[in-house]
Amino acid sequence: MQVDPRGPRFGASVTTAVLVAVLVTGSWVLLAAQAVVFALAAFLGLRYAPYGLLFRVLIRPRLAPPRELEDAAPPRFAQGVGFVFALVGMAGYATGTIWLGIGATALALAAAFLNAAFGFCLGCEMYLFFRRVTAKFRSEREVPA
């Protein structure tokens, strides 16, 4: 599946705002809502992500067509990484281990901000790195007969 790269960047902008609100309020419930957003995108696909839906309905019709599309797998993986950080943050806030909640939320915020502000998707880069490493590992294990 191919996606308009402006969609995940828009989603990262909304995520940035939500995660700032989480850090300001310390609300694990708000972080749980963001975790649901991450989970929908990661496990069902970007087309089911609420922020992606907002982009497709409200923003994209007002923009020129994208110059190019990108593979959906890297941003989908990035949403999965965000989901893991949100779960860890929720656990921290919910159990009173506030430093863990703040730390996990801040790391997720840093990644979302990098994408929103600079178009650098840290989770996407992780996906590409893992693909290269696993491909190299597979090729090294194949022994010619």
Side-chain angles (χ1 to χ4, degrees):
M1 179 180 163
Q2 300 284 304
V3 296
D4 181 339
R6 299 170 296 186
R9 194 164 180 184
F10 170 79
S13 299
V14 178
T15 299
T16 296
V18 170
L19 294 176
V20 165
V22 169
L23 288 174
V24 169
T25 65
S27 172
W28 71 268
V29 175
L30 186 55
L31 188 55
Q34 180 59 50
V36 169
V37 171
F38 283 141
L40 289 170
F43 301 118
L44 298 179
L46 297 177
R47 101 173 19 157
Y48 300 103
Y51 304 155
L53 178 62
L54 284 174
F55 175 78
R56 282 193 311 280
V57 171
L58 300 176
I59 309 286
R60 187 166 184 196
R62 292 173 171 75
L63 301 174
R67 283 185 247 143
E68 58 186 32
L69 299 175
E70 68 181 22
D71 182 20
R76 190 171 174 181
F77 178 84
Q79 293 295 299
V81 173
F83 176 67
V84 170
F85 276 91
L87 286 180
V88 172
M90 284 171 30
Y93 283 118
T95 63
T97 314
I98 302 303
W99 65 267
L100 182 61
I102 291 171
T105 303
L107 290 171
L109 171 60
F113 178 76
L114 282 172
N115 194 358
F118 305 109
F120 181 79
C121 177
L122 187 58
C124 300
E125 294 300 321
M126 288 172 57
Y127 172 84
L128 297 172
F129 173 76
F130 288 133
R131 290 287 304 242
R132 283 191 297 269
V133 167
T134 57
K136 182 177 177 172
F137 179 73
R138 281 192 306 267
S139 68
E140 287 176 358
R141 291 194 51 160
E142 295 174 2
V143 178

